Amino acid sequence: ALTLSKVGANTILVDLDNRKNEKLISQIKKKYHTTPKCYTVDVTSKDKIIELKNNILKDCNHIYGLINNLGFTAKASKLEKINLGIGFENENIELWYKEMDVGLTSTFLCSQIFGKEMLKNKQGVIVNIASTYGLVGADQRIYGNSKINSPASYAASKGGIVNLTKYLAAYWQGKNIRVNTLSPGGVKDETYQDRRFIKNYSNKTILGRMAKK
């Protein structure tokens, strides 16, 4: 949001909890003098996304870009007291459904609904945030007793995003709509990651560290 605002974009921030976004909007207005907005929306609901699109068009007239940055993360699961350390054999089917809804279905719906507007404008950019775990298997040895193991549902969701991106990039070729994916590695967050996990993960990377916020 800060990077896009720096080059003059009026950013739209969407989340289920907008307390942090409201603070960020205030910061953006003061620093970049753009007109950012935030909306509280459940993006697993098609009706809510259509309502969001209509509200944005009323406020901004055009939609030129979409970043799908969604996922039911280890941090979220810890807040909801879901134990990710129980192993694939005991993985909860409700977690699978939730991960698919939040990570993959919402990306499909947002790309479809906002992509239609981009077709009307004859231009647009979609960036889907996947994960290294959409490309490689998670090494369970690095997690120890942290209980924040990356579950199969997360890998399947992010792998789906990678291939959905490829599909859309090919589907909209020649329509002046670019679709790309970004697959970052683990991001350091000491609010829920213990030192042992951070060390183990860092030792797996060429740079010897996790990504920084």
Side-chain angles (χ1 to χ4, degrees), residues 23-157:
K23 292 180 181 178
L24 181 56
I25 277 178
S26 178
Q27 179 184 348
I28 289 171
K29 285 179 179 178
K30 290 178 181 178
K31 191 169 184 178
Y32 300 115
H33 308 291
T34 56
T35 310
K37 293 182 180 294
C38 65
Y39 295 90
T40 302
V41 179
D42 178 359
V43 290
T44 64
S45 165
K46 184 173 183 177
D47 290 341
K48 294 295 183 183
I49 300 171
I50 292 172
E51 183 181 332
L52 169 66
K53 179 204 70 174
N54 292 336
N55 287 331
I56 292 173
L57 289 174
K58 286 178 185 176
D59 292 336
C60 304
N61 297 322
H62 297 287
I63 297 168
Y64 295 108
L66 168 68
I67 300 175
N68 287 307
N69 184 25
L70 308 122
F72 189 70
T73 62
K75 186 173 185 179
S77 66
K78 201 159 188 177
L79 290 172
E80 296 195 20
K81 299 182 179 179
I82 296 174
N83 183 0
L84 297 182
I86 58 176
F88 171 75
E89 297 82 358
N90 300 304
E91 189 171 320
N92 193 308
I93 190 64
E94 280 71 30
L95 174 61
W96 176 274
Y97 292 144
K98 191 175 187 74
E99 186 70 73
M100 290 300 165
D101 276 350
V102 174
L104 187 55
T105 302
S106 60
T107 298
F108 165 81
L109 289 172
C110 287
S111 298
Q112 183 183 63
I113 292 165
F114 290 105
K116 285 182 182 179
E117 292 303 314
M118 294 176 186
L119 278 173
K120 291 178 185 177
N121 295 331
K122 297 182 179 180
Q123 63 175 315
V125 176
I126 297 175
V127 178
N128 296 323
I129 308 301
S131 166
T132 186
Y133 286 161
L135 304 171
V136 302
D139 185 346
Q140 301 298 328
R141 295 172 297 181
I142 68 177
Y143 293 95
N145 297 318
S146 65
K147 296 182 180 179
I148 59 171
N149 303 57
S150 187
S153 53
Y154 183 81
S157 169

Side-chain angles (χ1 to χ4, degrees), residues 118 121-125 172-178:
M118 294 176 186
N121 295 331
K122 297 182 179 180
Q123 63 175 315
V125 176
W172 278 322
Q173 66 83 25
K175 304 290 186 180
N176 201 27
I177 298 175
R178 289 186 289 111

Side-chain angles (χ1 to χ4, degrees), residues 170-187:
Y171 180 80
W172 278 322
Q173 66 83 25
K175 304 290 186 180
N176 201 27
I177 298 175
R178 289 186 289 111
V179 191
N180 289 287
T181 187
L182 178 67
S183 298
V187 179

